[in-house]
Amino acid sequence: MTYMSPTPVLTTLGPGVMPFLSAELASRMQFGWTISVHIIFASLSIGLAPFIVYFTWKDVRTNDDRYARLRSFWVKVFAAGFVMGTVTGIPMSFQFGTNFPQFSEVAGELIGGPLTFEAKMAFFLEAVFLGVLLYGRERVRDRTYVLSSVLVGVGAWLSGFWILVVNAWMQTPRGYEMITRNGMEVAKLTDPLAAFLTPRMTWMYVHMMNASVISVALLVAGVSAYVIWKKPDTNAWNTALKLAVVLLVVSAPFQAIHGDAYGRHVEDTQPQKFAAMEAHYETGQADLHLLAFPKSASALTDPRAENLVTVSLPAVGSFLASGGDFDAEVIGLNEYEENPPVALVFWSFRFMVGLGFLFIGLALWGGYLTYRGRLSDSTRYLKAMIAASPLGYAALLTGWYVTEIGRQPWVIQGELKTSEAVSPTLTGTEATLTLVGFVVVYVGLILTALYILKWLVREELQALGVRESSDGRWHGPVPGVSDDD
Amino acid sequence: MTESLLPVDAYLVESLPEIWFGAVLFALGMYVVLDGFDFGIGMLYATRTDEHERETFLAGFGPVWDANEVWLVAFGTMLLAAFPRVYSRLLADNYLLTIGFVLALLFRGLGPELREQRDDEQWQRYADYAFVGGSVFAPLLFGMLAGRWLFDGATLPMVLTGVGLVAVSVVTGAAFLAAKTEPGLAAELRTYGIGATVAYLGGVVVLLGTVVLTDAGGVADTILSGPVAAVVALSVAAGVGGSLLARRGQYRAWLVSALALPTLLTVLIALLLYPAIYPPTGLLVREAVVSPLALNLVTVLGFPVLVVVLWYFKFLYGVFSGPIEREGYGG
Ligand code: HDD
Ligand code: HEM
Ligand code: HEM
């Protein structure tokens, strides 16, 4: 492959004209930005799918109008999210070629397979049966209808599987050898099983799927809490809130326990990234592991285990005291010629883990209230859940920043650098223009998605008989839970 | 252990690279045919002012467009899996065209969804702009991309390919809707469909003539060969025959012959490419293809799935066959 010398960050379009980013920087920002938006909608589909299946099944089976109501609301959210996932997914699949053609060519044999399986096994399934789910209620039998909802869910979880096969391979590449083809050094597939099921894959899949479930459970809980806050006696939404809380009680602690073990796997396979995640531990406690959940017994026999238990925030203090200068002090990172932007990785990691513990707290609080039978009565809890509704996504995104930014300067760990992966024919001007285009369009997209959610909630409140003008919480005695409408 | 399951050093069958060339173009053809009529619906939508008719159009488009669009992803990823260099060069060398195309698709997909969300005239007008604009620009830019692929850098052939794809999309869109709607509306659609057929056939002739004269992409000889002449003749037959059927109100038969046009167009693309797969650099199918193990794997795992996909596509179109119910977009 052609090695590209590092391009200057800024190029200019003639004298006095506005500066443009380099093709490399603009491409990286564009990829990072577009996938951040895509992943929000993709994980919405993944996390919402089990809810949709459950509501649809209950609706068809029991004819209980609680489930009809929830199904109809969340299917609308799912449909809007799906469209946004689709329209943002297509640019993703082209950017491998437009912006990182050297990467596509080097890794084509390895990533092409999983990506085409994703299209054939997952996207088709999802898109075809969503058509049936949205438009086919009167045209197919009940059983086919429920089955369609299941197949849509299977499609979403499978697309997550195949795309993560690709990403996991980029983190821990195996099953290939480098050969020369058409004058370029490219990876040749030698062992498909090894290449598809890299050590990273299982970790990533479990963590990512569970993250999607957590994020959507928080969203469902937040919306339910808001509706209940406005109108406490709604049967359907009380059910939804309880369901979300139960899911959180299981998934939030699991994520922390799993994340802790996952961290050690990263340490084994990508020590440089791990050093970046723990940067501030220059004092030798390099393995802060905020995630020292007293779960894994083997952790105690691990030499690093003692440090693991110190969930010490003072470490953060020492970081601040050092003036935010990571690179100079940190042992480990110094051994590398080029390092990822440590502060980003470090703070992203703290942010994700911190939110993870917050979610455990919210889950346990909700679990306790449910146990006492007062879940919907606690104004404070409802408010907390409303506030927490977008936070799952915040954790999910920052977790990905750890993974992707922490991997830099490599795009394929140890094999190909990001700077070598960028298109040699792309100009900074073109890349900057499209970056600006994507920023503008996707900001519009996100705002629209939020408005749609807002309108759907407002519509639901109207259907429940809450007057437009009633701004605040329901006043007066909390009525007993009764039928809707 | 994989060696026992799949041959590592030899293709499953000797002609597997050529089969994959065919498979990639098959996915492209499915996309051009299926999403083509979606684009056509989007463009014809602009000719409607009646709210009822607009909703009919959207109801015909709603259940299928997304599934149709996945053929694009299938095409792109199959190209990547079998011919990574072609995928890389095609997209990287045509950067702005490609990004423009995906953004057009974005607006096309989003438009109807947004329209559905809010009962506000202004809002719906903007949503309609997105839908119609996306439906025009997506086939135009995609066709131009195909033109760049086939004819190297030549501008006029590139633009003509784009315009041709727009025209053929209008033909299939009109035929698709005519077959599924009431006679009055169908008769109006027929007029657009026949006009677009004439434009399309004329465009193809001008395009091929230009390419022969300028030898863009070095394919002049291919164009003057028997197979290309046959494809052109069949296209004219399908176009003229289809228009006659439409005149007689036989809309289902018209639909069949209308769908033959983009199918033949894809065959034409295949003929113009082969044995090269990336004319701008003269790269041949055999030179660009991945190693035997990788290709064998995607064949063994991918082809059976593709058969299943085709089967449930049939199911989807079965469920939504027959006249469009005016249930609106979103059911
Ligand atoms: C709701 C979202 C969420 C929550 C609450 C957590 N995570 Fe996470 N985490 C993710 C969402 C996520 C993610 C975005 O989904 C990542 C990115 C890649 C992946 O597989 O999952 C991730 C990656 C990720 C990695 C690997 C980074 C890499 O691959 O380089 C580690 C070590 C952790 N997480 C650890 C944790 C710990 C110890 C948590 C304790 C509470 C935790 N995560 C909570
Ligand atoms: C879905 C969650 C993901 C997020 C939020 C994410 C985020 C990012 C970010 C922020 C970058 C830029 C890093 C930098 O420039 O410092 C990046 C790079 C990249 N990611 Fe991801 N990524 C995700 C998943 C994936 C997946 C699934 C793949 C592959 C299939 C992938 C492939 C790449 C590639 C090729 C780059 C190269 C550009 C670069 O390194 O700058 N990413 N990603
Ligand atoms: C961890 C990262 C990713 C996950 C979990 C993921 C998952 C999904 C899911 C669930 C969908 C279905 C649409 C929806 O329901 O919203 C989807 C759509 C899509 N994704 Fe991603 N995706 C990821 C990253 C990527 C990347 C890196 C690419 C680029 C190859 C990509 C390409 C696509 C495409 C093309 C679609 C549209 C499919 C359609 O038409 O339905 N995704 N993705």
Side-chain angles (χ1 to χ4, degrees):
Chain A
M1 91 211 70
T2 42
Y3 180 77
M4 307 224 320
S5 53
T7 23
V9 168
L10 292 178
T11 55
T12 44
L13 184 77
V17 186
M18 79 178 263
F20 284 86
L21 302 168
S22 76
E24 182 190 336
L25 187 65
S27 294
R28 293 172 64 172
M29 289 169 69
Q30 179 170 307
F31 198 95
W33 164 245
T34 49
I35 194 151
S36 296
V37 176
H38 174 63
I39 196 66
I40 292 177
F41 299 114
S43 57
L44 177 71
S45 295
I46 293 170
L48 206 49
F51 283 91
I52 301 286
V53 171
Y54 181 72
F55 293 152
T56 307
W57 176 67
K58 279 286 199 179
D59 174 25
V60 169
R61 271 295 285 275
T62 64
N63 259 324
D64 181 337
D65 56 68
R66 269 187 303 169
Y67 296 106
R69 159 153 250 134
L70 292 173
R71 192 190 74 81
S72 116
F73 182 90
W74 289 106
V75 164
K76 280 183 215 149
V77 175
F78 190 90
F82 181 84
V83 169
M84 305 217 169
T86 300
V87 299
T88 55
I90 301 236
M92 293 320 307
S93 76
F94 283 96
Q95 279 182 94
F96 285 139
T98 49
N99 295 69
F100 300 101
Q102 314 303 99
F103 163 70
S104 306
E105 196 167 346
V106 171
E109 277 196 25
L110 277 298
I111 68 168
L115 288 173
T116 161
F117 299 148
E118 187 186 24
K120 286 181 205 157
M121 299 180 191
F123 295 153
F124 275 128
L125 200 66
E126 222 180 334
V128 167
F129 289 98
L130 188 68
V132 178
L133 191 68
L134 292 182
Y135 301 88
R137 186 73 184 94
E138 270 85 51
R139 290 174 180 251
V140 298
R141 278 174 305 156
D142 279 359
R143 200 145 26 103
T144 315
Y145 192 67
V146 175
L147 183 66
S148 299
S149 77
V150 174
L151 291 176
V152 169
V154 170
W157 283 59
L158 263 182
S159 69
F161 177 85
W162 285 113
I163 195 72
L164 293 183
V165 165
V166 173
N167 192 270
W169 181 81
M170 291 161 64
Q171 311 286 342
T172 50
R174 317 191 290 187
Y176 68 100
E177 67 187 24
M178 298 306 284
I179 59 159
T180 304
R181 179 188 300 139
N182 299 322
M184 183 156 168
E185 218 189 311
V186 301
K188 173 173 182 259
L189 180 68
T190 55
D191 185 346
L193 271 184
F196 287 3
L197 301 176
T198 52
R200 177 59 56 87
M201 179 54 202
T202 17
W203 289 106
M204 218 178 223
Y205 191 63
V206 172
H207 205 68
M208 176 65 199
M209 295 301 110
N210 199 48
S212 307
V213 169
I214 294 177
S215 306
V216 171
L218 284 165
L219 180 71
V220 172
V223 170
S224 309
Y226 183 72
V227 176
I228 294 169
W229 190 56
K230 290 279 195 186
K231 184 163 168 54
D233 61 339
T234 136
N235 220 332
W237 290 96
N238 278 293
T239 305
L241 180 61
K242 206 176 291 171
L243 195 66
V245 165
V246 169
L247 257 182
L248 278 175
V249 167
V250 179
S251 56
F254 175 79
Q255 188 77 345
I257 295 163
H258 183 264
D260 173 40
Y262 187 0
R264 256 165 286 141
H265 162 78
V266 172
E267 182 191 358
D268 286 346
T269 49
Q270 292 179 302
Q272 184 180 8
K273 182 196 278 180
F274 188 79
M277 281 153 64
E278 298 298 341
H280 67 296
Y281 253 31
E282 335 116 11
T283 46
Q285 295 168 292
D287 41 0
L288 165 67
H289 271 303
L290 264 184
L291 33 128
F293 223 71
K295 142 83 190 3
S296 140
S298 69
L300 300 172
T301 57
D302 188 312
R304 303 172 90 82
E306 286 99 34
N307 301 329
L308 283 179
V309 198
T310 55
V311 187
S312 47
L313 278 179
V316 176
S318 85
F319 158 74
L320 292 171
S322 79
D325 181 5
F326 299 110
D327 287 343
E329 285 100 330
V330 177
I331 318 151
L333 285 173
N334 277 341
E335 287 172 31
Y336 302 95
E337 267 172 43
E338 252 182 289
N339 276 315
V342 179
L344 264 177
V345 180
F346 173 81
W347 284 114
S348 297
F349 188 60
R350 294 298 168 295
F351 198 79
M352 164 179 67
V353 175
L355 285 176
F357 281 103
L358 175 72
F359 301 156
I360 295 176
L362 289 173
L364 295 181
W365 182 11
Y368 171 77
L369 290 173
T370 311
Y371 172 71
R372 300 293 301 267
R374 294 188 315 169
L375 185 61
S376 310
D377 306 344
S378 163
T379 306
R380 203 177 298 161
Y381 189 65
L382 295 181
K383 275 190 176 163
M385 292 317 272
I386 295 168
S389 51
L391 294 183
Y393 285 104
L396 195 145
L397 283 177
T398 45
W400 272 106
Y401 297 152
V402 175
T403 304
E404 298 292 298
I405 300 175
R407 182 186 61 189
Q408 303 302 321
W410 301 104
V411 64
I412 306 170
Q413 180 74 43
E415 196 64 69
L416 184 76
K417 292 200 171 154
T418 309
S419 54
E420 302 165 320
V422 180
S423 171
T425 51
L426 183 63
T427 66
T429 315
E430 286 172 320
T432 309
L433 284 179
T434 59
L435 171 64
V436 171
F438 274 115
V439 170
V440 171
V441 173
Y442 281 20
V443 166
L445 200 70
I446 291 176
L447 289 178
T448 314
L450 291 175
Y451 272 113
I452 289 178
L453 189 62
K454 191 181 144 189
W455 294 329
L456 286 174
V457 171
R458 198 182 53 193
E459 220 174 79
E460 176 67 16
L461 286 173
Q462 276 166 2
L464 287 169
V466 177
R467 265 176 297 115
E468 189 101 46
S469 57
S470 58
D471 272 346
R473 168 112 168 86
W474 176 275
H475 288 297
V478 175
V481 171
S482 65
D483 281 349
D484 295 318
D485 302 278
Chain B
M1 78 147 277
T2 38
E3 262 156 89
S4 54
L5 297 172
L6 277 178
V8 171
D9 294 321
Y11 294 111
L12 280 173
V13 288
E14 191 16 52
S15 54
L16 199 59
E18 286 75 27
I19 294 176
W20 265 86
F21 174 77
V24 168
L25 277 142
F26 171 74
L28 176 68
M30 289 297 280
Y31 179 65
V32 169
V33 171
L34 295 176
D35 217 16
F37 71 68
D38 294 334
F39 295 138
I41 295 175
M43 288 183 269
L44 291 163
Y45 181 86
T47 66
R48 302 292 100 186
T49 45
D50 178 61
E51 186 61 22
H52 245 26
E53 291 181 349
R54 290 197 154 193
E55 274 175 16
T56 309
F57 279 29
L58 290 179
F61 166 89
V64 293
W65 73 273
D66 192 40
N68 293 345
E69 199 177 88
V70 177
W71 283 104
L72 173 68
V73 185
F75 163 67
T77 54
M78 283 164 78
L79 188 62
L80 172 61
F83 309 102
R85 166 158 289 187
V86 183
Y87 170 86
S88 307
R89 295 304 354 141
L90 180 65
L91 300 181
D93 292 347
N94 302 293
Y95 184 79
L96 291 178
L97 258 185
T98 309
I99 303 282
F101 165 60
V102 297
L103 286 176
L105 272 185
L106 181 145
F107 285 110
R108 190 283 300 255
L110 220 50
E113 179 65 31
L114 296 187
R115 180 179 217 276
E116 156 78 357
Q117 292 299 338
R118 206 174 157 192
D119 253 344
D120 175 281
E121 223 172 277
Q122 178 96 354
W123 172 266
Q124 296 198 334
R125 183 143 15 100
Y126 286 128
D128 287 344
Y129 289 152
F131 180 45
V132 174
S135 300
V136 176
F137 278 100
L140 181 69
L141 296 177
F142 191 64
M144 284 167 69
L145 193 59
R148 289 272 301 196
W149 187 11
L150 292 170
F151 309 119
D152 206 352
T155 313
L156 185 61
M158 171 182 81
V159 175
L160 282 172
T161 316
V163 174
L165 199 61
V166 171
V168 81
S169 300
V170 174
V171 180
T172 53
F176 179 80
L177 287 170
K180 291 171 82 73
T181 191
E182 14 111 6
L185 186 53
E188 280 186 55
L189 289 164
R190 171 174 74 188
T191 317
Y192 291 107
I194 294 174
T197 306
V198 173
Y200 172 67
L201 292 176
V204 169
V205 171
V206 176
L207 168 65
L208 295 181
T210 317
V211 175
V212 170
L213 290 179
T214 59
D215 196 20
V219 289
D221 290 343
T222 320
I223 290 180
L224 298 172
S225 69
V228 170
V231 168
V232 173
L234 282 173
S235 299
V236 173
V240 174
S243 302
L244 292 176
L245 290 166
R247 278 269 165 78
R248 283 206 247 132
Q250 292 174 340
Y251 296 125
R252 286 192 153 252
W254 178 32
L255 177 58
V256 174
S257 56
L259 293 178
L261 291 178
T263 311
L264 288 164
L265 179 63
T266 316
V267 176
L268 186 63
I269 293 175
L271 289 174
L272 292 182
L273 284 173
Y274 193 80
I277 186 163
Y278 197 58
T281 58
L283 194 71
L284 302 179
V285 168
R286 286 270 164 179
E287 294 166 344
V289 74
V290 294
S291 66
L293 178 61
L295 200 64
N296 293 344
L297 183 78
V298 285
T299 309
V300 168
L301 277 181
F303 279 15
V305 180
L306 206 57
V307 173
V308 177
V309 167
L310 288 171
W311 173 77
Y312 61 66
F313 250 74
K314 219 181 125 230
F315 168 76
L316 177 74
Y317 279 87
V319 168
F320 296 102
S321 68
I324 302 166
E325 280 165 24
R326 284 257 178 87
E327 61 214 9
Y329 188 84

